[in-house]
Structures are given as C-alpha cells and as structure tokens.
C-alpha cells in the first residue's frame, strides 16, 4: 500500500517538474517576438520601425490570445489536464503585448499628446474598439492570480467570459486597421468563430442534448 502511494507521489512529482519546465520554455518562447523586433529595429532592417513595432506587438497580442483560447478544446481533445496550467501564462502574455502595443502607440505615434489620443479614441472607430478590447482584458489580467480565483469562486469563470468579447473586438480592430488585403483578419475571425462555436456546443448544446436523451427526466 505504502509502495503504491509513494509510486503515485513520485509520478506526480515527475509530472509537476515536466509542467514547470514546459512553463519556463513557454515563457521564453513568448518573449522571442520582442527579441526579434528589437533586433530588426536596431539592425535597421525595418524601413518604418515605428509602424513595424506597433503592428508587430498588436499581432502578437492577438496570437497569444488565440493560443489561450485554444487550450480548452485542446485539453478536451488530448485529455491532458495539465494544459490548463498554460492558459494563464498565454493570456497574460497577450495582455502584456497589448500593453506594449498601446504604449508604443502612445509614445512613438502620439508622443503622449493626450488631446490627440483622445481625438483618436472618440473619432477613429478602430482605436475606439482596440481601447475597449484592452479595457475588457484588464480585469482578466488583474484577477488571474490564485488569490483572486479563490476569492471570486464561480464568479471568476463568469468574469472570464469577457475574453470572448475582448477577442471579437480585437479581430474587429484588426479588420478596420487593414485597408486592402483582409485575408489575415479573416483567418483569425474564422478560427475565433470555430472556437466560439465549440464553446457554445460544449457549454450549451451538449448538456441540453444529454438532458433530453437521459431516460430519467
Ligand atoms: C488602446 C488600445 C489599442 C490601440 C490604441 C491600438 C492601436 C493600433 C494602431 C495605431 C495600429 C496600426 C498601426 C499602423 O497601421 O501603423 C494597430 C494595429 C493592430 N492592432 Fe491595435 N491597438 C489597440 C488594441 C489592440 C488589441 C487589444 C489588439 C489585440 C489583442 C490589437 C491588435 C492589433 C493588430 C493585430 C493590428 C494590425 C497589425 C498588422 O497590421 O499586422 N490592438 N493598433
């Protein structure tokens, strides 16, 4: 009996170590775009470094957000429960890149001219929509700690539904920003549509069907 318990503990420890190592690797991977951006700007490879940095940080905010949204379906498909432990990291990196994107815009594009920023926020729909997306992401980032998860209990999951409107607004912002070729925003929009459809099926349609099919009613 004791041998079984210690074997179970041993394999749990191995699993925990593997998850921690993978989290560290993911952390490094999520920082790579910044290294690449810095290199391209410093080396002078980018003809318009300001536009490049603003666009690139925006795009990576979107990529990490989509990656975070992929975790639940991936967990369902693979049955690997530990995947959920990478969702917070991806979500926080998305928020981090969105903040960098915002700071680059305020600093490099607007030189902290607040009157001009205000004019943009109320006068340019794509900036208004991006701003609302960041505002929606803020409470998610703030409440991502274990303490907040415990404190908010079921309301934590309810609050984290905000990720979906934030994602919809982010891709909308992308559509409005792209002037000609909308292929890329369409790819993100279709993937988001599939993710949302899966979520509605899992949370709404599937339990409803199960209730209807159940012999005890
Ligand atoms: C206060 C909030 C935001 C502001 C002020 C803002 C501002 C901008 C600006 C000025 C550009 C255009 C850069 C250019 O054409 O040179 C841009 C592009 C973009 N932004 Fe934002 N943004 C905000 C929020 C977001 C958020 C939350 C996301 C995603 C999570 C995002 C994703 C993008 C993407 C994907 C692009 C286009 C990149 C490309 O063309 O390759 N933005 N944003």
């Amino acid at each position: 009996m004791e041998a079984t318990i210690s074997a179970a503990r041993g394999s749990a420890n191995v699993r925990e170590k593997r998850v921690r190592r993978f989290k560290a690797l993911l952390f490094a991977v999520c920082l790579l775009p910044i290294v690449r951006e810095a290199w391209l700007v410093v080396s002078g490879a980018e003809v318009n470094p300001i536009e490049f940095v603003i666009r690139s940080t925006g795009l990576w905010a979107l990529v990490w957000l989509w990656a975070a949204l992929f975790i639940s379906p991936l967990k369902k498909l693979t049955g690997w429960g530990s995947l959920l432990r990478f969702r917070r990291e991806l979500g926080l990196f998305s928020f981090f890149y969105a903040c960098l994107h915002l700071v680059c815009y305020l600093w490099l594009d607007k030189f902290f001219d607040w009157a001009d920023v205000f004019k943009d926020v109320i006068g340019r729909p794509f900036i208004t929509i991006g701003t609302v997306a960041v505002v929606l992401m803020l409470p998610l980032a703030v409440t991502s700690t274990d303490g907040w998860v415990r404190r908010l209990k079921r309301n934590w999951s309810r609050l984290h539904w905000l990720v979906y409107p934030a994602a919809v607004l982010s891709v909308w912002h992308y559509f409005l920003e792209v002037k000609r070729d909308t292929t890329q925003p369409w790819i993100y929009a279709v993937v988001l549509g599939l993710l949302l459809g899966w979520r509605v099926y899992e949370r709404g349609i599937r339990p409803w069907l199960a209730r209807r099919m159940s012999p005890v009613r």
Side-chain angles (χ1 to χ4, degrees), residues 51 54-55 58-59 61-62 65 98 101-102 105 109 126-127 130-131 133-134 137 170 173-174 177-178:
E51 191 183 282
I54 296 178
R55 287 190 168 179
L59 200 58
L62 209 64
L65 189 58
H101 181 58
L102 175 60
Y105 158 80
D109 196 17
F126 102 94
I127 297 285
T131 308
V134 174
M137 286 165 95
S170 304
H173 166 77
Y174 193 4
E177 188 270 338
V178 171

Side-chain angles (χ1 to χ4, degrees), residues 70-81 83 198 202 206:
F70 254 111
I71 293 285
S72 283
L74 216 58
K75 184 216 150 206
K76 196 84 188 170
L77 279 175
T78 60
W80 192 29
L83 271 174
W198 177 82
E202 273 297 306
R206 206 158 81 116

Side-chain angles (χ1 to χ4, degrees), residues 137-186:
M137 286 165 95
L138 181 67
L140 306 184
V142 171
T143 59
S144 67
T145 60
D146 291 339
W148 274 107
V149 178
R150 268 196 306 274
R151 233 169 292 153
L152 292 176
K153 296 188 182 104
R154 280 175 67 86
N155 287 332
W156 188 88
S157 310
R158 287 192 193 122
L159 179 71
H160 278 247
W161 268 89
L162 282 180
V163 72
Y164 293 105
V168 170
L169 292 174
S170 304
V171 82
W172 189 8
H173 166 77
Y174 193 4
F175 263 111
L176 294 179
E177 188 270 338
V178 171
K179 270 114 205 161
R180 258 169 266 138
D181 185 2
T182 51
T183 314
Q184 284 241 51
W186 267 115

Side-chain angles (χ1 to χ4, degrees), residues 10-192:
S11 79
N13 279 345
V14 170
R15 216 176 312 131
E16 182 62 27
K17 265 191 201 150
R18 215 178 292 154
V19 168
R20 285 205 183 154
R21 237 178 279 147
F22 199 82
K23 274 180 131 184
L25 181 70
L26 184 64
F27 191 88
V29 169
C30 287
L31 286 175
L32 280 180
I34 298 180
V35 178
R36 178 180 165 268
E37 277 168 29
W39 168 251
L40 290 175
V41 169
V42 171
S43 68
E46 281 300 326
V47 273
N48 189 340
I50 293 177
E51 191 183 282
F52 165 71
V53 168
I54 296 178
R55 287 190 168 179
S56 177
T57 46
L59 200 58
W60 282 103
L62 209 64
V63 169
W64 300 132
L65 189 58
W66 263 233
L69 291 173
F70 254 111
I71 293 285
S72 283
L74 216 58
K75 184 216 150 206
K76 196 84 188 170
L77 279 175
T78 60
W80 192 29
S82 303
L83 271 174
L84 287 181
R85 297 183 55 192
F86 307 118
R87 194 168 50 182
R88 170 165 37 187
E89 196 169 340
L90 288 166
L92 283 173
F93 262 108
S94 170
F95 182 67
F96 171 64
Y97 275 85
C99 290
L100 277 181
H101 181 58
L102 175 60
V103 169
C104 290
Y105 158 80
L106 293 174
W107 179 24
L108 307 173
D109 196 17
K110 296 287 152 185
F111 308 107
F112 295 113
D113 178 345
W114 299 107
D116 202 17
V117 171
F118 184 69
K119 229 173 11 179
D120 262 7
V121 173
I122 57 165
R124 294 174 74 189
F126 102 94
I127 297 285
T128 318
I129 290 165
T131 308
V132 178
V134 174
V135 169
L136 290 182
M137 286 165 95
L138 181 67
L140 306 184
V142 171
T143 59
S144 67
T145 60
D146 291 339
W148 274 107
V149 178
R150 268 196 306 274
R151 233 169 292 153
L152 292 176
K153 296 188 182 104
R154 280 175 67 86
N155 287 332
W156 188 88
S157 310
R158 287 192 193 122
L159 179 71
H160 278 247
W161 268 89
L162 282 180
V163 72
Y164 293 105
V168 170
L169 292 174
S170 304
V171 82
W172 189 8
H173 166 77
Y174 193 4
F175 263 111
L176 294 179
E177 188 270 338
V178 171
K179 270 114 205 161
R180 258 169 266 138
D181 185 2
T182 51
T183 314
Q184 284 241 51
W186 267 115
I187 294 172
Y188 284 92
V190 168
V191 172
L192 180 63

